[in-house]
Amino acid sequence: MTDISTYSIDELKTLAEEIREKILSTVSKNGGHLSSTMGAVDLIVAMHKVFDVSKDPFIFDVSHQAYAHKLLTDRWDRFDTLRQFGGLSGYTKPSESKYDYYVAGHSSTSISLAVGAAKAIALKGEDRIPVAFIGDGSMSAGMVYEALNELGDRKYPVVIVLNDNEMSIAKPIGAISKLLSQTMAGSFYQKFKGKVEKVLDHFPESATYMAKRFEESFRLITPGILFQEMGIEYIGPVDGHNIESLIDTMEVAKAFGKPVIIHAQTTKGKGYEIAEGTKEHWHGVSAFDLKTGESAKKSGPKSATAIFSETLLAMAEEDKKIVGVTAAMPSGTGMSAVIEKYPERFWDVAIAEQHAVASMGPLAKEGFKPFCTIYSTFLQRGYDQVIHDIALMDLGVVFALDRAGIVGEDGETHQGVFDISFLRAIPNMTLFAPCNETTMKHAMAFAKAYEHPCAFRYPRGAFMADDCHAPVFELGKADLLQEGDSDMLFIGYGNGVGRAQKTAVLLEKTPAVLDLRFVKPLDEEMLTRLGKHYKKWFIFSDSAKQGGVGSALLEFLSQNDMQDIVLTSFEYDDAFITHGNTKLVEESLGILPEQIAKTIRENQK
């Protein structure tokens, strides 16, 4: 680990620049998160200077901005493997380094984790301070305030570094706020305040009341009143790129012995002018040219997200009852265009999946048709609301689940593998999936007309199946794509249809191929008929095996006493799936069409 405790301010500034250059060089080749992690460099350098990462828990919210932390903790020489298969994760990962305290990938968990760590430290009687690093975007989630509520009451020593790269102070009071922040960050002010509070304890209630009213009035012109009212000390806003000032501020916070928030303002993309500022494009990027900033990614087939975006916009133009929501992912989910054109009907509610889901229920109740568009992995965060606020009322909310299946370089925390398993158990819920552009449009048309809760899933990137003519979607009806000349039936669901088709052409004997379309309800009539002719069923679905498509079909076979069917599922085994290039990850799982074909041939012998 790089020990920077003895570094001078100039040495720390030089180190920060070297870190930025390393991040730029690596991310321009590998892709990854850029603007937020570039902006966080000075803050993280100051954290490592003031706190002892070998004993103090450093807890990064989401942790996509923690690249500087990785570079300061024994990973400089391996950093060029960032987000590559078998290389460093793009997020904190304790199995990768003892200096990574906790796994992160979803937002707004850091303060809760810091409270838990503080409780353990208190129970063990140790001299350690949890340091939570959280971005302003993560502050939109309710979980943050649940944690702050307890922390303000319990008063555990926790330092929260709020990396604010979006908020701004109004110009008329900017100079005043800066002066007040510098004053309140100083040790003199904090010592003076502590002494005054002790003295006031011996004064009559009227004097104490007047003093407290004066302090409250003083704080009204600072941004920290919310945190102070919750019982948490507030310092800021401070310049998040002034390393010397940051070190002084963190030293003060460290000495408090109680919870404190350091509000630091930073510039996204700091050090790379092309990316500086609040440009959403530079949050997460594919490989790009350092000189021009142009993406190195070659154009390819239209993505499923693009098809969804175009279709939703067309539907919204025709029907004013269609509304929609996303949670901080307008461009990622393809909602940007419809939000821009119809801002009164489509909303980005920030990182608040629970609120996003629950808020769509009343819209459905009032006669609107809500499309709740969320990544598969992020819908996990709104699971209670799916059950309690949508399905229980049998409301016609549509859940459009982007990034279903393997998402590649983001890894374990982002793989969209569980949605079938956790949604299939919910009463009133209907599940279906398209396999190409035409069926995506049919699926969305079905969802629009359907009056009950439903969810359809689609992959990151393009569908594996080629586009072709296809019948419209009917509730619980599958589509037989081809008959076979063997005893094999390939059952594909969603993107699994394309995988089934590509595998089928590699075999000597032709299997029948079924586009299942609906996993709840199943097309029992079709499956019963096919079961009379095809005795070996092979399941293709980009989802977890437990509770997935194969599981649903096994339940069907058991209920109908179809004991002569042998079912083999090529869904994902019961393990979290690592990060890396999608094809390499799939190869490691043995689910490339060539690998599946080989497995089937060997089993036929």
Side-chain angles (χ1 to χ4, degrees):
M1 185 185 75
T2 305
D3 181 8
I4 63 173
S5 61
T6 61
Y7 278 34
S8 68
I9 297 300
D10 286 341
E11 288 174 324
L12 292 174
K13 290 179 179 178
T14 299
L15 175 62
E17 291 308 310
E18 291 173 350
I19 288 172
R20 285 193 172 94
E21 289 175 6
K22 184 73 169 178
I23 291 172
L24 270 174
S25 173
T26 302
V27 175
S28 66
K29 296 173 183 174
N30 297 5
H33 291 93
L34 185 72
S35 58
S36 55
T37 201
M38 289 283 283
V41 170
D42 300 308
L43 280 171
I44 293 173
V45 168
M47 282 170 55
H48 275 266
K49 169 72 172 176
V50 174
F51 299 94
D52 184 354
V53 70
S54 65
K55 68 182 185 71
D56 296 327
F58 279 24
I59 304 171
F60 291 91
D61 207 274
V62 186
S63 77
H64 62 294
Q65 77 289 72
Y67 292 179
H69 165 75
K70 287 177 178 280
L71 288 167
L72 288 169
T73 50
D74 285 344
R75 285 168 277 186
W76 190 284
D77 292 339
R78 291 188 291 147
F79 197 68
D80 61 344
T81 68
L82 183 74
R83 292 165 56 88
Q84 303 299 292
F85 183 71
L88 295 180
S89 169
Y91 302 92
T92 51
K93 192 173 182 180
S95 62
E96 176 182 291
S97 170
K98 65 180 181 180
Y99 301 112
D100 288 0
Y101 184 77
Y102 226 83
V103 167
H106 290 186
S107 81
S108 314
T109 64
S110 60
I111 301 177
S112 293
L113 297 174
V115 172
K119 289 176 178 178
I121 290 168
L123 289 170
K124 294 164 75 174
E126 295 177 345
D127 180 22
R128 299 159 59 204
I129 301 177
V131 184
F133 188 103
I134 184 170
D136 60 283
S138 293
M139 298 295 287
S140 61
M143 186 175 176
V144 165
Y145 300 95
E146 295 173 18
L148 288 172
N149 183 55
E150 183 184 18
L151 183 59
D153 178 56
R154 299 286 184 175
K155 306 295 184 186
Y156 294 112
V158 171
V159 174
I160 301 166
V161 178
L162 171 55
N163 177 26
D164 175 3
N165 52 33
E166 289 283 352
M167 302 179 197
S168 60
I169 310 294
K171 289 183 179 179
I173 63 169
I176 297 174
S177 292
K178 184 176 181 180
L179 175 62
L180 290 174
S181 299
Q182 290 173 343
T183 303
M184 294 173 72
S187 58
F188 171 79
Y189 171 80
Q190 296 298 335
K191 289 178 182 177
F192 175 77
K193 179 184 174 186
K195 288 180 179 179
V196 169
E197 288 175 346
K198 288 182 180 179
V199 171
L200 286 175
D201 288 340
H202 301 287
F203 274 64
E205 287 186 9
S206 58
T208 303
Y209 172 77
M210 291 300 294
K212 288 187 178 295
R213 285 300 300 270
F214 175 77
E215 184 188 11
E216 287 170 3
S217 299
F218 183 76
R219 281 194 278 121
L220 280 174
I221 55 174
T222 73
I225 188 169
L226 170 64
F227 304 116
Q228 298 242 18
E229 289 301 320
M230 297 182 80
I232 298 170
E233 292 292 337
Y234 171 88
I235 300 175
V238 297
D239 183 352
H241 300 300
N242 186 326
I243 293 179
E244 184 173 11
S245 175
L246 288 172
I247 291 172
D248 291 341
T249 302
M250 289 184 187
E251 291 285 7
V252 170
K254 182 179 180 180
F256 268 168
K258 53 185 174 181
V260 57
I261 284 182
I262 299 172
H263 178 181
Q265 290 184 308
T266 61
T267 300
K268 283 185 174 182
K270 178 70 174 178
Y272 185 51
E273 189 175 350
I274 296 174
E276 286 187 358
T278 56
K279 302 169 184 174
E280 186 182 358
H281 164 71
W282 288 101
H283 173 73
V285 296
S286 56
F288 63 94
D289 185 293
L290 263 177
K291 292 181 179 180
T292 65
E294 295 294 323
S295 174
K297 189 176 182 180
K298 298 178 181 178
S299 59
K302 187 185 297 184
S303 70
T305 302
I307 299 167
F308 170 82
S309 178
E310 294 170 2
T311 307
L312 183 63
L313 182 59
M315 290 168 61
E317 289 172 346
E318 294 179 0
D319 189 345
K320 293 181 180 180
K321 290 291 187 180
I322 294 179
V323 297
V325 71
T326 187
M329 292 292 172
S331 61
T333 59
M335 289 279 282
S336 293
V338 74
I339 289 174
E340 182 178 349
K341 187 165 186 178
Y342 301 110
E344 75 286 355
R345 288 163 50 198
F346 294 86
W347 306 275
D348 174 7
V349 297
I351 302 174
E353 290 85 359
Q354 293 174 308
H355 165 61
V357 173
S359 67
M360 291 299 100
L363 281 156
K365 182 178 172 66
E366 294 286 343
F368 291 90
K369 190 64 188 182
F371 277 73
C372 190
T373 311
I374 298 180
Y375 289 3
S376 167
T377 182
F378 293 151
L379 186 62
Q380 297 162 192
R381 298 162 63 88
Y383 189 54
D384 178 63
Q385 287 66 36
V386 174
I387 296 174
H388 183 271
D389 301 301
I390 306 300
L392 191 62
M393 294 275 288
D394 197 21
L395 297 170
V397 175
V398 179
F399 294 96
L401 305 186
D402 201 324
R403 305 301 201 268
I406 294 173
V407 299
E409 288 80 4
D410 280 334
E412 293 95 328
T413 57
H414 283 62
Q415 310 287 21
V417 302
F418 304 118
D419 54 274
I420 296 173
S421 303
F422 69 66
L423 290 175
R424 201 167 65 82
I426 303 175
N428 293 332
M429 181 62 71
T430 293
L431 304 180
F432 52 101
C435 67
N436 57 21
E437 181 169 356
T438 296
T439 56
M440 170 70 100
K441 294 175 180 177
H442 289 337
M444 293 178 69
F446 172 84
K448 174 183 176 293
Y450 195 58
E451 297 180 352
H452 307 278
C454 66
F456 65 95
R457 68 191 323 253
Y458 45 98
R460 179 181 187 179
F463 287 109
M464 289 186 70
D466 295 330
D467 197 30
C468 61
H469 174 74
V472 298
F473 272 50
E474 296 181 53
L475 179 62
K477 294 298 181 181
D479 180 26
L480 185 61
L481 301 179
Q482 71 177 42
E483 293 279 5
D485 59 10
S486 67
D487 60 352
M488 295 183 293
L489 172 64
F490 282 11
I491 301 177
Y493 182 70
N495 207 35
V497 173
R499 197 180 304 276
Q501 291 176 319
K502 292 182 185 304
T503 302
V505 299
L506 300 175
L507 297 173
E508 291 73 25
K509 293 184 178 181
T510 303
V513 179
L514 178 71
D515 177 2
L516 189 63
R517 292 195 169 190
F518 288 82
V519 71
K520 185 182 181 184
L522 292 169
D523 189 341
E524 298 191 3
E525 180 181 350
M526 172 75 78
L527 292 169
T528 300
R529 178 171 68 81
L530 293 176
K532 295 176 180 178
H533 303 284
Y534 305 101
K535 302 301 181 181
K536 294 178 181 178
W537 291 10
F538 297 92
I539 314 305
F540 298 77
S541 175
D542 295 345
S543 54
K545 188 174 293 184
Q546 293 194 329
V549 177
S551 179
L553 291 168
L554 283 171
E555 292 164 16
F556 163 76
L557 293 174
S558 175
Q559 291 165 2
N560 289 274
D561 198 28
M562 297 171 64
Q563 299 179 23
D564 56 344
I565 303 294
V566 177
L567 187 146
T568 302
S569 173
F570 293 110
E571 294 169 283
Y572 311 136
D573 288 330
D574 187 27
F576 290 105
I577 300 171
T578 190
H579 66 276
N581 173 273
T582 297
K583 185 173 182 179
L584 293 177
V585 172
E586 291 180 342
E587 183 179 14
S588 73
L589 299 174
I591 58 171
L592 294 178
E594 298 81 4
Q595 293 173 304
I596 294 176
K598 181 180 179 182
T599 299
I600 292 174
R601 283 193 295 267
E602 290 176 348
N603 289 341
Q604 299 299 312
K605 295 178 181 178

